[in-house]
């Protein structure tokens, strides 16, 4: 039963929504600064004041007509797809399971089965973003790396292994199992000599051994 009970992963939608808003606010502010008649260094300083997680050396501040809007859509879409299944802190700490995992608490989805290779931790999520951005025509390698670095700062795990719910479901399955009795009469032959032992024979022999234990 333990092996057949899918581990439950709880999806924190507050974290996912917060990351999307933070990225959107960053781009909104950056676009407004791009249109203002101030120096590039001053734009960088103001962005750094409002977004402490932003590294001054990772991304060139936007310039009017510099394709920043397309870059914004690309970044937001990459994060949106990434958080479709969420981000787990570290895949090394996922419980072993022969069954698919089950993601719960995601709005409008209900329960979603997830294979182990569909669950991304921060390192795998960063690699996924880098791979998606590398397919964008016209995006320079250095610019892609800088953008990946900025987005990586925002990556926050929002999947948690829900041990309590997993155990509750396992116990519910156990409670559904009805007691099964095997009746063996005194002197009854369970299996004859040279007779092939079937699963039914094995079950009766196991019951007899348990009774004698």
């Amino acid at each position: 039963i333990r092996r057949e009970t899918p581990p439950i992963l709880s999806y924190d939608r507050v974290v996912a929504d917060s990351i999307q808003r933070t990225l959107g606010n960053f781009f909104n502010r950056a676009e407004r600064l791009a249109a203002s008649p101030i120096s590039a260094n001053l734009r960088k300083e103001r962005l750094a004041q409002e977004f402490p997680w932003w590294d001054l050396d990772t991304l060139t501040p936007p310039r009017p007509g510099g394709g920043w809007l397309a870059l914004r859509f690309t970044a937001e879409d990459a994060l949106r797809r990434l958080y479709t299944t969420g981000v787990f802190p570290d895949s090394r700490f996922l419980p072993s399971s022969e069954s698919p995992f089950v993601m719960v608490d995601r709005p409008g989805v209900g329960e979603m089965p997830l294979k182990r290779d569909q669950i991304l931790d921060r390192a795998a999520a960063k690699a996924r973003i880098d791979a998606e951005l590398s397919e964008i025509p016209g995006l320079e390698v250095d610019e892609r790396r800088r953008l990946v670095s900025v987005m990586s700062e925002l990556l926050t795990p929002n999947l948690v292994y829900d041990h309590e719910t997993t155990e509750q479901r396992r116990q519910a399955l156990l409670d559904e199992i009805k007691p099964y009795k095997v009746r063996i009469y005194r002197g009854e032959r369970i299996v004859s000599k040279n007779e092939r032992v079937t699963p039914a024979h094995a079950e009766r022999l196991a019951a007899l051994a348990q009774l004698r234990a």
Side-chain angles (χ1 to χ4, degrees), residues 119-213:
I119 304 172
L120 303 179
D121 58 14
R122 288 196 63 180
K126 180 178 179 179
R128 170 75 63 82
I129 290 176
D130 185 55
E132 290 191 7
L133 295 183
S134 66
E135 298 177 359
I136 301 175
L139 186 62
E140 299 293 336
V141 174
D142 289 343
E143 192 72 4
R144 186 189 81 231
R145 290 175 179 171
R146 292 167 183 164
L147 185 57
V148 169
S149 178
V150 168
M151 295 174 67
S152 297
E153 291 295 327
L154 287 175
L155 288 178
T156 304
N158 73 322
L159 287 179
V160 178
Y161 170 55
D162 193 337
H163 175 75
E164 182 178 355
T165 301
T166 301
E167 288 301 308
Q168 288 175 353
R169 294 194 178 191
R170 183 184 71 85
Q171 187 60 48
L173 289 176
L174 288 172
D175 292 342
E176 291 177 359
I177 299 176
K178 297 180 179 180
Y180 177 70
K181 296 182 179 180
V182 177
R183 180 173 295 177
I184 301 175
Y185 296 95
R186 183 182 298 273
E188 177 183 353
R189 178 178 295 175
I190 297 177
V191 61
S192 301
K193 183 178 180 181
N194 297 326
E195 182 181 0
R196 184 175 181 178
V197 179
T198 66
H201 291 143
E203 184 179 30
R204 295 169 73 83
L205 289 170
L208 184 60
Q210 186 178 8
L211 180 64
R212 290 178 175 178

Side-chain angles (χ1 to χ4, degrees), residues 13-31:
R13 60 180 175 180
V14 175
V15 171
D17 293 343
S18 175
I19 292 171
Q20 292 287 351
R21 285 195 302 270
T22 301
L23 185 64
N25 291 338
F26 169 73
F27 277 111
N28 285 336
R29 183 58 175 151
E31 289 168 8

Side-chain angles (χ1 to χ4, degrees), residues 40-86:
N41 286 336
L42 188 55
R43 282 199 295 267
K44 293 172 68 173
E45 291 177 6
R46 290 187 178 178
L47 279 176
Q49 290 173 356
E50 298 183 35
F51 303 95
W53 50 266
W54 190 67
D55 187 349
L56 290 176
D57 298 324
T58 57
L59 192 63
T60 304
R63 299 181 303 276
W68 191 258
L69 187 61
L71 202 59
R72 170 183 181 169
F73 289 156
T74 298
E76 289 181 335
D77 192 47
L79 273 183
R80 189 177 300 110
R81 287 196 299 271
L82 187 65
Y83 278 94
T84 297
T85 54

